[in-house]
């Protein structure tokens, strides 16, 4: 009896250790799967953001002339999640919306050509912080969009439109900026900085 009891205890301990090992293995596997899924999601979103940047907006007063076609936009972004009709300056346009996770892209088309575009809910995965309050104060009216992007990277959020031959960018940096919950918003007309605001920048 004592011998059988001893082996029963050993067997029970062996099962318990085995279950614990399986549990740890399962947890490690789950963590690994989650990390892989997160990396895949980030890569997918960054690809979406880069494709968004390829879309050109046309002149509203010229029925979207010069804007990326709806067909080409769908090739870049995929099938839109929804669409609706609206107006810009009393001109009828169609808004197409693409959603991926928290990111929303809205592009308005006139005569099947893009005339405005907007992206919200997106954040670049930046490893460095190089946009400081000192940098912000050094920005001057007339600085070009291209030069600022070259130094601080693409903005996380950006709205673009072309009305009466003037291209307007409203760009916001949420990542790569110094300060808790900090952000920098810059407005450009024809590629030149015209106004700036910041929140919590250090």
């Amino acid at each position: 009896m004592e011998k059988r009891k001893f082996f029963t205890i050993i067997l029970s301990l062996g099962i318990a250790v085995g279950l614990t090992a399986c549990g740890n293995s399962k947890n490690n596997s789950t963590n690994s799967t989650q990390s892989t899924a997160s990396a895949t999601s980030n890569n997918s979103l960054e690809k979406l953001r880069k494709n968004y940047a390829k879309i050109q907006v046309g002149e509203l007063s010229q029925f979207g002339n010069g804007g990326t076609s709806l067909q080409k936009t769908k090739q870049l972004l995929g099938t839109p999640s929804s669409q609706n009709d609206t107006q810009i300056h009393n001109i009828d346009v169609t808004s197409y919306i693409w959603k991926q996770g928290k990111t929303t892209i809205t592009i308005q088309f006139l005569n099947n050509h893009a005339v405005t575009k907007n992206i919200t809910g997106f954040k670049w995965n930046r490893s460095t912080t190089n946009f400081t309050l000192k940098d912000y104060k050094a920005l001057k009216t007339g600085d070009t969009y291209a030069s600022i992007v070259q130094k601080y990277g693409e903005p996380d959020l950006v709205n673009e439109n072309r009305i009466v031959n003037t291209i307007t960018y409203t760009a916001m940096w949420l990542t790569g900026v110094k300060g808790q919950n900090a952000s920098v918003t810059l407005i450009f007309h024809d590629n030149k900085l015209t106004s700036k605001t910041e929140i919590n920048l250090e």
Side-chain angles (χ1 to χ4, degrees):
M1 292 291 292
E2 292 296 326
K3 188 175 291 186
R4 180 179 296 176
K5 185 177 180 181
F6 173 76
F7 281 115
T8 300
I9 293 172
I10 292 297
L11 182 61
S12 298
L13 287 172
I15 293 172
V17 170
L19 289 174
T20 301
C22 287
N24 289 339
S25 176
K26 185 176 181 181
N27 288 338
N28 290 337
S29 176
T30 300
N31 291 337
S32 176
T33 300
Q34 289 175 343
S35 296
T36 301
S38 177
T40 301
S41 177
N42 287 337
N43 290 337
S44 178
L45 283 173
E46 291 197 358
K47 180 181 178 181
L48 182 73
R49 177 66 176 77
K50 289 176 181 178
N51 283 341
Y52 169 85
K54 296 176 182 178
I55 297 166
Q56 302 295 315
V57 298
E59 172 58 51
L60 181 65
S61 63
Q62 297 177 12
F63 303 99
N65 183 43
T68 301
S69 69
L70 177 59
Q71 181 180 3
K72 178 63 176 179
T73 300
K74 287 181 177 180
Q75 290 175 359
L76 290 168
L77 303 180
T79 303
S81 306
S82 62
Q83 70 180 77
N84 60 75
D85 295 326
T86 185
Q87 287 190 334
I88 305 176
H89 296 278
N90 296 319
I91 298 175
D92 292 328
V93 298
T94 302
S95 296
Y96 289 83
I97 300 170
W98 287 261
K99 290 188 177 182
Q100 186 170 323
K102 296 180 180 180
T103 300
T104 299
I105 291 174
T106 303
I107 301 177
Q108 294 175 321
F109 291 84
L110 174 61
N111 195 32
N112 284 326
H113 287 83
V115 289
T116 75
K117 66 176 187 176
N118 184 62
I119 184 168
T120 61
F122 176 84
K123 288 185 178 180
W124 288 106
N125 185 24
R126 304 189 215 265
S127 58
T128 58
T129 299
N130 61 352
F131 210 147
T132 67
L133 183 59
K134 181 180 179 181
D135 294 316
Y136 171 84
K137 290 181 177 179
L139 296 175
K140 297 180 178 63
T141 299
D143 285 348
T144 66
Y145 178 79
S147 67
I148 293 174
V149 166
Q150 183 177 20
K151 188 171 183 179
Y152 303 110
E154 290 278 351
D156 298 279
L157 312 180
V158 61
N159 173 279
E160 180 183 346
N161 62 67
R162 184 195 297 258
I163 300 175
V164 194
N165 295 317
T166 298
I167 301 176
T168 301
Y169 291 99
T170 301
M172 179 181 287
W173 282 259
L174 300 170
T175 58
V177 294
K178 187 177 181 181
Q180 187 173 4
N181 298 320
S183 66
V184 175
T185 301
L186 305 178
I187 297 178
F188 302 82
H189 289 100
D190 289 336
N191 198 40
K192 295 182 179 180
L193 181 64
T194 56
S195 69
K196 61 180 184 177
T197 57
E198 59 86 12
I199 298 175
N200 298 329
L201 203 59
E202 297 178 354

